[in-house]
Amino acid sequence: MSGSNDPAIQTLVAGINDMLASYGATITWKNYSNARKGNDAAMNSFIANAKAGKVGAVIFLDSNPVYNHPKGAELAEAIKKVELSVSTSDRKDETASLVNYVAAKHHFLESWNDAEPKNGMFSLMQPTISPIFKTRQQEESLLAWTGNTTSYFDYLKDYWQERFGEGKTGYAYQSFWDKCLQDGVHEAPVEDAEYTATVDASAAAASINKNYKGQGVELALYTKVAVGDGTQANNPWLQETPDPITKAVWDNYITVSLSDAKEWGITEYEGKGSKAELAVNGVTYKMPVVIQPGQAKGTIGVALGYGRTSAGKVANGLGTDVTSFVGTLNGANYYAVTSGVQFKPLDEAYQVARTQTHQTYMDRSNVIQEATLKEYQKDPMSGREVPMISTWQDVESGKVKSTSLSLWKGHKYKDHHWGLAIDLNSCTGCSACHVACQAENNIPVVGRQEVINRRDMHWMRIDRYYSSNEEEVAKAEGLVDTYRALDKAAENPEVTFQPMMCQHCNNAGCETVCPVSATTHSTSGLNQMVYNRCIGTRYCANNCAYKVRRFNWFKYHDNDQFDKNMAMNNDLGKMVLNPDVTVRSRGVMEKCSMCVQRIQLGKLEAKKEGRRTNDGDIITACAAACPSDAIVFGDMNDDNSPNFQTTSN
């Protein structure tokens, strides 16, 4: 994979794959992706023609190139020369605010549509809600403007009949259509395409040698996992989703390597750092700096998708828009600036809001227990820490396994024992589970300053740990220096992700210390929170070994001080709240409930059908969202449950 938008590099990589005989083996043309089919050269040509007054009309279909195209400023001026300009955006964004007409489109949940994300793999989109505003589906607008009075639903259905209709799929068309609507997807048979290599590797190599003679610092422009290119930047859930690597929220920043930070005198502690000036070809911005272990020396990175001016209350004025730094190379937009980059550290202090400020698990081998495959094959217990406890009862060894002693009698689960297992080998740290949990459980957005104050409300966090190579040096310097040094990540560390939520402990420390029994244990293994009994002592949070409990320091709903928490502070935003989950009030403790509302729904559905609740009837929001199936929910009392099989192994 090239990982580059430069056609020359892509050509050279294609040649390498051809030499390796990858085509037809590891790479096939059968189910190619239809994503990212844009034509940079054609777009640049359009902007040039518009500037020259050669464009008579333009329709921007749910796009915002004035903001997210590197020549957006030129396009903004060029639109004034276009006689007819229309946008179908759902708001007056940076582009829509400049056109003659805004034909606002439906939200996608109000629309009919179809898609072919991969060759031969089709999906249908159908509305789940009636239109809230006086909008119209953009495809229906196009039909109307061309004089076609057919509704888009009929148009879509007729198209599918023409392509997949009766006699082509083995179904009568109406039956086929109904089945596709029910399934949501349709996989059509496709044939493998033949590949013939016509790679001019020498020309590609010559182009690369000519264009890659960088001097000084190289700038890499990228998009974050949550915010992306900024299209959805006005969504506060995404802004408060920590970046999987830096764990930063509500900002974009300049990332620098550890070695460069030392050379330039840049320091950072607990998220507190400084700003720097970044200049590219005469354009200068002042931005905060984040030191990033693992980043290559001589490079700096900045995320796109910030600095919006016409997105909405959440995104406007947030961060810095560096889209203009994107260059053009071999006719394509290029996201690496290899020359003309100047970086100047400043003495101006700035604190980036981060949900995790410790970098390693230091000398705590029980936090992350890991081993190589070779070590595991030799000893399945390799890398595992088995804590032993000293006791007067065992005279010979003086220590026994921690599981053999307890202050409690424990719990017996006669029916279900719900549990969650996470495969750390499969977790990529993508944060899909994190956002799903926030949406499912009405978790409030608290804003940048409250995150800095350590008051984020996320029920689920994804801890990111770097390896450290300071252990031997630190141990020679004494205990205090051990922990100070071990929190320094290696310059090129290994990275481990660890999703963390309430563990629903069998003998939970929180249950022991609550003076009003607001946190209790259920007969199916859940650690429960009784919100209207909680008096906010926070003893439970202090006694939680995993630090996963969250306290409502403020009333986050119907409060102008938290107006960016849009899901709880206006009537439209409240439509996204889950009616099955309570919105908590000030002074109440909360934490992962294992989606108890979904468990109750599964039990009620089984009761209506006159049967026992089965494993698989219930799936938590995090498990449903996980793209790598790293999270498995189920009944640990069921021998056939994937959860039981995972935990027993």
Side-chain angles (χ1 to χ4, degrees):
M1 302 296 292
S2 71
S4 171
N5 206 39
D6 181 359
I9 294 179
Q10 294 171 359
T11 300
L12 195 61
V13 170
I16 295 171
N17 281 321
D18 185 55
M19 292 172 62
L20 295 173
S22 299
Y23 295 107
T26 56
I27 301 174
T28 70
W29 297 100
K30 187 174 182 179
N31 296 120
Y32 56 81
S33 172
N34 286 317
R36 300 185 181 275
K37 292 286 188 177
N39 189 321
D40 292 336
M43 184 66 187
N44 288 328
S45 176
F46 158 73
I47 294 174
N49 288 333
K51 287 174 62 178
K54 298 178 181 179
V55 177
V58 59
I59 301 173
F60 297 100
L61 282 180
D62 193 22
S63 58
N64 186 15
V66 169
Y67 167 72
N68 57 27
H69 193 275
K71 294 184 178 180
E74 296 180 33
L75 179 59
E77 292 299 316
I79 289 176
K80 299 174 184 177
K81 300 179 180 180
V82 178
E83 185 177 350
L84 174 63
S85 54
V86 181
S87 171
T88 64
S89 174
D90 64 351
R91 70 196 68 201
K92 295 193 74 173
D93 57 29
E94 289 83 351
T95 302
S97 59
L98 300 175
V99 300
N100 303 136
Y101 303 99
V102 178
K105 69 179 184 66
H106 285 343
H107 188 274
F108 73 91
L109 293 176
E110 302 168 338
S111 307
W112 284 98
N113 224 321
D114 65 349
E116 188 183 5
K118 289 187 177 182
N119 183 42
M121 297 183 180
F122 298 85
S123 67
L124 277 170
M125 180 192 303
Q126 50 187 313
T128 60
I129 186 175
S130 298
I132 298 174
F133 302 108
K134 292 182 179 180
T135 56
R136 181 169 66 180
Q137 185 159 351
Q138 61 182 9
E139 291 82 2
E140 196 143 326
S141 293
L142 291 175
L143 288 172
W145 297 337
T146 58
N148 192 329
T149 58
T150 307
S151 70
Y152 185 63
F153 169 75
D154 291 332
Y155 183 89
L156 179 66
K157 191 175 179 181
D158 291 344
Y159 169 78
W160 272 59
Q161 182 169 16
E162 181 181 340
R163 183 159 185 175
F164 307 111
E166 193 169 353
K168 298 181 182 179
T169 60
Y171 289 91
Y173 177 66
Q174 189 60 46
S175 298
F176 165 76
W177 175 257
D178 292 341
K179 185 177 187 304
C180 289
L181 283 180
Q182 178 180 337
D183 296 345
V185 295
H186 171 63
E187 186 171 349
V190 293
E191 297 180 358
D192 277 323
E194 293 186 4
Y195 169 78
T196 303
T198 54
V199 177
D200 188 352
S202 59
S207 174
I208 293 170
N209 289 331
K210 175 184 176 182
N211 293 316
Y212 293 87
K213 296 179 179 179
Q215 297 178 349
V217 178
E218 179 179 328
L219 169 64
L221 300 168
Y222 67 97
T223 55
K224 287 190 179 182
V225 167
V227 176
D229 69 352
T231 301
Q232 300 294 330
N234 204 52
N235 185 334
W237 289 344
L238 301 182
Q239 292 289 357
E240 203 155 288
T241 297
D243 180 89
I245 301 298
T246 65
K247 311 308 293 182
V249 297
W250 292 104
D251 242 325
N252 66 337
Y253 35 79
I254 304 169
T255 60
V256 301
S257 69
L258 278 171
S259 55
D260 283 337
K262 292 176 184 177
E263 181 180 332
W264 296 331
I266 300 172
T267 59
E268 183 180 274
Y269 181 72
E270 291 287 313
K272 299 175 183 177
S274 58
K275 287 189 174 183
E277 281 187 354
L278 174 62
V280 176
N281 298 324
V283 179
T284 304
Y285 293 115
K286 186 191 297 183
M287 301 179 67
V289 179
V290 167
I291 301 173
Q292 181 54 60
Q295 185 165 319
K297 179 178 173 57
T299 66
I300 58 177
V302 179
L304 301 167
Y306 289 81
R308 296 290 304 271
T309 58
S310 300
K313 181 182 294 185
V314 173
N316 285 352
L318 191 64
T320 304
D321 178 17
V322 294
T323 309
S324 61
F325 287 168
V326 177
T328 303
L329 186 62
N330 292 326
N333 291 340
Y334 197 61
Y335 297 87
V337 185
T338 57
S339 62
V341 180
Q342 294 179 321
F343 178 85
K344 178 184 177 182
L346 303 174
D347 291 332
E348 185 178 344
Y350 187 87
Q351 183 168 3
V352 174
R354 303 170 84 168
T355 57
Q356 180 183 343
T357 55
H358 58 285
Q359 306 288 19
T360 76
Y361 49 93
M362 299 184 282
D363 201 19
R364 301 169 293 163
S365 57
N366 61 334
V367 174
I368 295 290
Q369 302 182 38
E370 58 185 354
T372 64
L373 178 60
K374 186 176 181 179
E375 292 170 340
Y376 175 78
Q377 289 173 334
K378 186 176 181 180
D379 177 12
M381 290 299 290
S382 178
R384 295 294 301 274
E385 179 174 302
V386 181
M388 305 294 286
I389 297 178
S390 299
T391 172
W392 61 271
Q393 292 176 314
D394 195 324
V395 179
E396 293 182 3
S397 66
K399 292 184 178 182
V400 297
K401 288 185 178 181
S402 60
T403 53
S404 65
L405 293 176
S406 177
L407 294 172
W408 298 272
K409 295 180 179 179
H411 300 275
K412 293 182 179 180
Y413 307 108
K414 298 179 181 180
D415 193 7
H416 300 292
H417 184 191
W418 303 115
L420 201 67
I422 302 177
D423 182 358
L424 297 186
N425 289 322
S426 300
C427 177
T428 63
C430 70
S431 300
C433 56
H434 171 101
V435 178
C437 177
Q438 182 150 19
E440 172 74 19
N441 294 293
N442 299 340
I443 297 173
V445 169
V446 299
R448 176 180 175 272
Q449 187 56 49
E450 287 303 292
V451 172
I452 291 174
N453 293 341
R454 305 289 202 275
R455 291 173 177 172
D456 55 289
M457 295 298 295
H458 301 138
W459 287 8
M460 185 176 195
R461 69 176 191 265
I462 302 180
D463 290 336
R464 179 267 301 124
Y465 294 109
Y466 298 127
S467 61
S468 173
N469 56 1
E470 300 282 344
E471 184 171 359
E472 296 304 320
V473 176
K475 283 184 176 178
E477 296 177 355
L479 182 63
V480 174
D481 289 331
T482 297
Y483 286 100
R484 284 179 180 170
L486 284 176
D487 199 35
K488 297 177 182 178
E491 192 163 315
N492 187 24
E494 294 181 357
V495 182
T496 303
F497 296 106
Q498 186 179 61
M500 182 60 64
M501 71 293 289
C502 176
Q503 302 297 296
H504 295 265
C505 309
N506 276 336
N507 297 315
C510 55
E511 296 170 15
T512 307
V513 297
C514 181
V516 292
S517 296
T519 177
T520 60
H521 211 80
S522 79
T523 57
S524 57
L526 299 182
N527 176 260
Q528 303 173 131
M529 270 302 305
V530 185
Y531 296 132
N532 61 0
R533 189 183 291 169
C534 177
I535 59 173
T537 63
R538 290 174 284 141
Y539 295 163
C540 55
N542 292 336
N543 217 39
C544 175
Y546 302 95
K547 300 305 172 191
V548 289
R549 287 179 161 262
R550 301 290 178 256
F551 183 69
N552 284 269
W553 291 91
F554 300 96
K555 175 189 172 186
Y556 297 111
H557 60 90
D558 300 310
N559 186 344
D560 291 341
Q561 287 182 294
F562 296 94
D563 58 349
K564 290 186 178 180
N565 182 28
M566 295 195 300
M568 298 183 183
N569 282 293
N570 61 69
D571 291 337
L572 180 63
K574 289 178 182 178
M575 293 185 72
V576 307
L577 293 177
N578 187 345
D580 294 327
V581 179
T582 302
V583 175
R584 284 74 65 186
S585 58
R586 181 183 180 187
V588 171
M589 187 66 69
E590 60 182 70
K591 52 90 192 177
C592 166
S593 67
M594 204 82 81
C595 287
V596 66
Q597 67 279 1
R598 293 191 174 205
I599 295 174
Q600 290 301 110
L601 177 62
K603 290 163 65 176
L604 289 172
E605 290 295 324
K607 184 177 180 180
K608 287 193 295 184
E609 297 173 11
R611 61 174 176 83
R612 184 180 184 274
T613 308
N614 297 322
D615 188 85
D617 289 344
I618 303 160
I619 183 169
T620 58
C622 56
C626 181
S628 62
D629 293 328
I631 303 175
V632 180
F633 175 81
D635 185 359
M636 293 190 289
N637 278 352
D638 184 349
D639 293 353
N640 297 318
S641 164
N643 185 289
F644 174 85
Q645 294 170 1
T646 300
T647 53
S648 61
N649 290 333

